[in-house]
Amino acid sequence: MALIIRSPDIDELPGLSDLCFRSKAVWGYDEKFMEACRRELSFAPQDLEQTHVAVAEEDGRILGVVQIRISAAEAELLKLFIEPEVVRKGTGRALFAWATDVSRRTGASRIVVEADPGAAPFYRKIGARDAGQAPSGSIPGRMLPRLVFDVLR
Ligand SMILES: CC(C)(COP(=O)(O)OP(=O)(O)OC[C@H]1O[C@@H](n2cnc3c(N)ncnc32)[C@H](O)[C@@H]1OP(=O)(O)O)[C@@H](O)C(=O)NCCC(=O)NCCS
C-alpha cells in the first residue's frame, strides 16, 4: 500500500504528540530528560494555523509527522518524528520532501534544523550541511547540531 502524505485533523493532534514522544525516546533518554522535552514534542491546535504540519499514513496507520514554520526566506523544521518500529524505511525522507516542497512554494530558500544528535546523520544523508550548534529549547545548557538544507528552485 502506498504512503500518503496529508494534513492532520485537529482531533489527531494528541495522538501525534504521543507519536513524537515515543519516537524521541528511541535514543534512550531517561524519564527526566523526556519529561523536560514533552512540551516541545507536543502539538497545540494553533499549530495547524501558524505552521505547516503533515502526516505520513499507510494502510490507515500514521507512521510519522513533520512540522515546519516559515518566516520569510527561512523554514524551521520544528518536528520530524517517525514511529520507532518503522524507522529506516523511507518515511523520514518522504516527509522531509514534503517540507521541501512547501518551503519552495512559499518562497523559503533554506530549511534550518536543530537536530537531535542521533538524527544528524539522517539530515546529512538527505543533503543538509552542518552549520554550527544551537541551544536546546528543552534542556538548559544542552547544545544541538544545527544543519541547513538548501531548497533548490
Ligand atoms: C531521524 C528520523 C526522522 C529518520 O527517518 P527515517 O524514516 O528513519 O529515515 P529514512 O528511512 O527516510 O532514511 C533516509 C536515509 O537516511 C539514512 N538514515 C536514517 N536514519 C539514519 C541514522 N540515524 N543514521 C544514519 N543514517 C540514517 C537511511 O539509511 C536512508 O539512507 P538511504 O537512502 O541511503 O537508504 C527517524 O529515525 C526518527 O524519527 N528518529 C527518532 C526521532 C528523531 O530524532 N527525530 C528527529 C528530530 S530532529
Side-chain angles (χ1 to χ4, degrees):
M1 190 97 160
L3 196 66
I4 296 166
I5 309 290
R6 64 163 175 86
S7 303
D9 295 329
I10 196 162
D11 59 354
E12 291 177 307
L13 295 182
L16 295 178
S17 301
D18 291 345
L19 188 165
C20 292
F21 197 83
R22 276 195 300 280
S23 178
K24 179 81 174 178
V26 296
W27 305 121
Y29 296 122
D30 65 24
E31 206 174 312
K32 188 167 165 238
F33 181 102
M34 288 301 302
E35 279 310 322
C37 296
R38 190 179 282 280
R39 192 182 51 81
E40 216 176 1
L41 295 170
S42 298
F43 285 97
Q46 61 267 29
D47 288 340
L48 295 182
E49 290 144 31
Q50 295 168 1
T51 66
H52 300 262
V53 184
V55 298
E57 181 184 293
E58 192 172 55
D59 283 338
R61 181 181 175 217
I62 292 178
L63 304 184
V65 62
V66 65
Q67 179 187 28
I68 57 170
R69 179 166 54 212
I70 310 234
S71 32
E74 192 160 290
E76 190 185 350
L77 188 81
L78 299 177
K79 296 185 184 71
L80 176 59
F81 290 101
I82 310 302
E83 280 288 4
E85 62 271 32
V86 296
V87 292
R88 300 268 194 145
K89 291 181 190 292
T91 315
R93 190 191 280 281
L95 285 171
F96 195 88
W98 175 89
T100 307
D101 284 347
V102 172
S103 301
R104 190 179 292 115
R105 275 192 274 116
T106 53
S109 58
R110 61 186 175 275
I111 302 174
V112 177
V113 186
E114 292 170 6
D116 188 285
F122 160 78
Y123 294 110
R124 292 184 194 113
K125 188 74 193 264
I126 62 170
R129 58 191 156 83
D130 284 278
Q133 291 192 309
S136 160
S138 297
I139 312 285
R142 184 175 196 241
M143 296 302 287
L144 299 176
R146 182 175 181 274
L147 296 105
V148 174
F149 181 92
D150 293 312
V151 175
L152 302 177
R153 303 268 129 207

